[in-house]
Amino acid sequence: MRIVIAEDSAIIRAGLSRLLTHHGHTVVAETGRAEELRAAVAEHLPDLAVVDIRMPPGYTDEGLRAAIALRGSHPGVGILLFSQYVETRYATELLTGNPGGVGYLLKDRVSAVEDFLAALDRVAAGGTALDPEVVAQLMRAGRRRDPLAVLTGRERDVLALMAEGRSNTAIARLLRVGERAVEKHVSNIFTKLTLPPARDDHRRVLAVLAFLQQN
């Protein structure tokens, strides 16, 4: 996989580069500034960009806004936000634009290298990888007008695990229920959120992102 890294911390940037190279990926560009990220993607056309949110010069949301711009100019490039912070406003815009090929992980909550690498693969393949804390904060931010109010508590649990990219089998194992029960919950979620027919993986992502479009 060909990857661009946009991270203002030189130590973290170097560490990510070594990790990814060690596991067989090619880091085609590294940058510490958001404006250079867009140029790097345009030049190298990578499969994936790993992007920090707070970058120079303001250290607010420069990386996230650059990621949104990339989704418009290079929709085939996967975007994995990798940050210490949850930024709900622009994250909503990024996630509701195109449901495939987007991830948002929190640095201090990634406990295993294997999980991080699996998230990279999932996003590059057009899937999603959202940290549960990111999902929780986005849901809280959208609760003033909550289209998920139609879901039961268990359906919300299933939806949160879907957001992490879990399969029905994995959801059944984590919730300690049968896989047929999970299939029923997923079907109910699609029905209650009135999601149009789509490729199943994108429909699953649309389910967790549907309420964000109402913010």
Side-chain angles (χ1 to χ4, degrees), residues 22 29 57 60 64 76 103 140 146-147 175 184 203:
H22 176 72
T60 54
L64 180 49
R140 285 196 291 270
D146 186 3
L175 296 182
K184 182 177 179 180
R203 203 178 186 205

Side-chain angles (χ1 to χ4, degrees), residues 114-134:
E114 292 77 11
D115 292 342
F116 179 71
L117 295 173
L120 292 179
D121 290 339
R122 201 155 60 240
V123 172
T128 185
L130 303 178
D131 186 286
E133 180 60 26
V134 172

Side-chain angles (χ1 to χ4, degrees), residues 51-182:
V51 184
D52 192 10
I53 287 179
R54 299 186 179 184
M55 302 182 72
Y59 293 96
T60 54
D61 53 22
E62 290 84 355
L64 180 49
R65 287 188 282 115
I68 292 171
L70 286 176
R71 293 299 282 173
S73 62
H74 297 84
V77 176
I79 300 290
L80 178 66
L81 299 175
F82 192 45
S83 178
Q84 292 177 300
Y85 310 98
V86 179
E87 207 295 333
T88 57
R89 179 185 172 190
Y90 287 112
T92 299
E93 184 177 344
L94 176 68
L95 293 169
T96 56
N98 180 349
V102 178
Y104 195 153
L105 301 181
L106 299 178
K107 291 175 180 176
D108 60 355
R109 285 173 53 86
V110 176
S111 58
V113 169
E114 292 77 11
D115 292 342
F116 179 71
L117 295 173
L120 292 179
D121 290 339
R122 201 155 60 240
V123 172
T128 185
L130 303 178
D131 186 286
E133 180 60 26
V134 172
V135 174
Q137 290 201 35
L138 291 173
M139 285 183 173
R140 285 196 291 270
R143 197 146 287 169
R144 284 191 299 262
R145 296 190 302 174
D146 186 3
L148 299 186
V150 296
L151 302 183
T152 66
R154 180 43 60 95
E155 287 166 354
R156 285 174 178 256
D157 292 340
V158 170
L159 186 55
L161 291 170
M162 286 167 60
E164 295 178 45
R166 307 280 187 174
S167 66
N168 285 359
T169 301
I171 293 171
R173 184 177 66 252
L174 290 167
L175 296 182
R176 298 182 179 180
V177 298
E179 192 167 345
R180 291 189 64 180
V182 173

